[in-house]
Amino acid sequence: MEGNLFINEAFTNSIRDYLTYKGNPSREEFNSFCVVVIRALIEIYGELDIINPYRTNGEKGFKDNLKKFGYSDEALETFINDVQTFYQNQENDAICKELFLKIQESLVDLFVLRKKHVAVTDEEVEKFKTFLYTKKDTTPSKFVLYTKYTPNDDTILHYLNSKLYEIAHEFTFSALKEVALRADAYQLAGYNAVEVMNMKEEDILNINNKVYHFFRIKDNDTNKRGRLEEAINYYKKYGNTITSGNGYVDLLLILSVIATSLMLITLAFLKFMG
């Protein structure tokens, strides 16, 4: 693609330098920041996905390749623009320092997306780390930039490790929904509270009705949540000591027993006095 611009100036010149100097990896040009970005992309996607679109000037194919593991259009455009801005302002330390870590974080995001979709070995993870800028970097030109922009700071490694930890443990973060009841209400009624919290609102409301029915709370009760609190507290305190097996009903049964007992005592007393 001689004489043509591919994506932007940064990607055009960096891919060209990669191809020119990959046979001589000790060259400073091969270890410039933007070329290292290209090398990291090749590590994530493979050389064909990065170099073939460059050779054919296939910008759409290049972008589609970078999005194949789920990277969004917006995130991709930001990443491309960040690399171009860095490339154009390499003499401006303030701009480069701001983008130095941000671009590396984008590379981490791309790598982690790949790991979510295909098997990635520990060796591949360690290989990817060599494209990041850390305090243990042994490449002189890379270490110079690390010292200049993130001295004594391995934030990027911490970022990578946290992302890998998240996908290894399949964390799901969801906001607590206002329609949800107390977690122990679901548990006592036989539901998994975490699963319920991650349901759609209409499904949670359906489960809530079943929980209220479990505690024998009427649909038309205007103080359902208050009744539920009483039922749960009683259930936890007394368990299944009365035959209903339900805390709220047990409370009503006890009150009924007490009232009946008092009535019998009163009748006996009146009969005795008469």
Side-chain angles (χ1 to χ4, degrees):
M1 58 147 295
E2 294 292 334
N4 293 326
L5 194 66
F6 177 70
I7 307 296
N8 55 38
E9 186 182 4
F11 280 84
T12 300
N13 294 336
S14 299
I15 294 176
R16 182 199 63 205
D17 286 348
Y18 165 80
L19 292 171
T20 301
Y21 299 109
K22 72 174 184 176
N24 191 359
S26 62
R27 287 287 295 261
E28 184 176 342
E29 295 91 336
F30 190 70
N31 293 288
S32 67
F33 182 73
C34 290
V35 173
V36 171
V37 168
I38 298 302
R39 291 165 56 195
L41 292 176
I42 289 172
E43 178 64 23
I44 297 169
Y45 296 97
E47 190 171 80
L48 289 178
D49 278 359
I50 305 302
I51 302 304
N52 275 7
Y54 166 80
R55 294 190 189 280
T56 61
N57 202 21
E59 181 172 325
K60 184 180 183 301
F62 176 82
K63 291 182 177 180
D64 286 345
N65 288 342
L66 265 62
K67 293 186 296 181
K68 69 180 179 180
F69 297 127
Y71 206 49
S72 70
D73 289 317
E74 182 181 359
L76 179 58
E77 289 305 315
T78 299
F79 170 64
I80 288 173
N81 291 335
D82 286 344
V83 175
Q84 173 69 2
T85 302
F86 186 99
Y87 183 85
Q88 291 178 321
N89 294 276
Q90 294 182 67
E91 302 302 319
N92 189 322
D93 289 347
I95 292 177
C96 288
K97 185 172 184 178
E98 179 182 349
L99 294 174
F100 185 69
L101 185 60
K102 185 182 177 185
I103 292 170
Q104 291 182 80
E105 288 178 343
S106 296
L107 291 173
V108 168
D109 292 340
L110 291 167
F111 179 76
V112 170
L113 280 173
R114 179 201 168 194
K115 191 172 181 1
K116 285 182 177 180
H117 288 81
V118 299
V120 173
T121 66
D122 291 341
E123 290 75 16
E124 288 176 302
V125 172
E126 293 304 312
K127 177 71 178 298
F128 176 74
K129 288 180 181 179
T130 66
F131 298 104
L132 303 177
Y133 288 71
T134 70
K135 65 178 64 175
K136 293 183 179 179
D137 211 317
T138 58
T139 304
S141 57
K142 285 185 67 196
F143 188 72
V144 166
L145 288 186
Y146 163 80
T147 304
K148 188 175 185 179
Y149 297 131
T150 54
N152 301 312
D153 184 354
D154 270 347
T155 298
I156 191 59
L157 272 186
H158 298 321
Y159 183 77
L160 171 62
N161 291 334
S162 69
K163 291 293 183 180
L164 293 176
Y165 186 86
E166 283 179 20
I167 62 173
H169 293 79
E170 297 182 343
F171 285 162
T172 301
F173 299 100
S174 57
L176 181 63
K177 298 179 175 65
E178 292 184 3
V179 298
L181 304 174
R182 288 171 45 170
D184 50 1
Y186 296 118
Q187 293 165 351
L188 290 172
Y191 296 97
N192 184 305
V194 175
E195 291 180 359
V196 174
M197 297 296 184
N198 285 311
M199 291 179 179
K200 295 179 181 178
E201 186 170 311
E202 58 183 315
D203 294 328
I204 294 178
L205 291 172
N206 183 45
I207 296 295
N208 288 356
N209 289 332
K210 294 179 180 180
V211 171
Y212 286 131
H213 290 165
F214 173 80
F215 285 101
R216 301 298 191 272
I217 298 172
K218 296 180 179 179
D219 291 335
N220 60 356
D221 195 319
T222 58
N223 186 28
K224 281 186 177 182
R225 289 191 177 244
R227 301 293 186 199
L228 183 62
E229 293 286 330
E230 295 173 3
I232 291 172
N233 292 337
Y234 180 85
Y235 195 101
K236 287 184 173 182
K237 186 174 182 180
Y238 296 105
N240 296 324
T241 55
I242 296 183
T243 58
S244 74
N246 178 279
Y248 185 65
V249 175
D250 289 351
L251 178 60
L252 296 179
L253 287 173
I254 285 181
L255 292 176
S256 176
V257 170
I258 292 174
T260 302
S261 299
L262 289 174
M263 184 179 68
L264 291 174
I265 292 172
T266 300
L267 290 174
F269 177 75
L270 290 174
K271 183 176 181 180
F272 175 77
M273 292 299 293

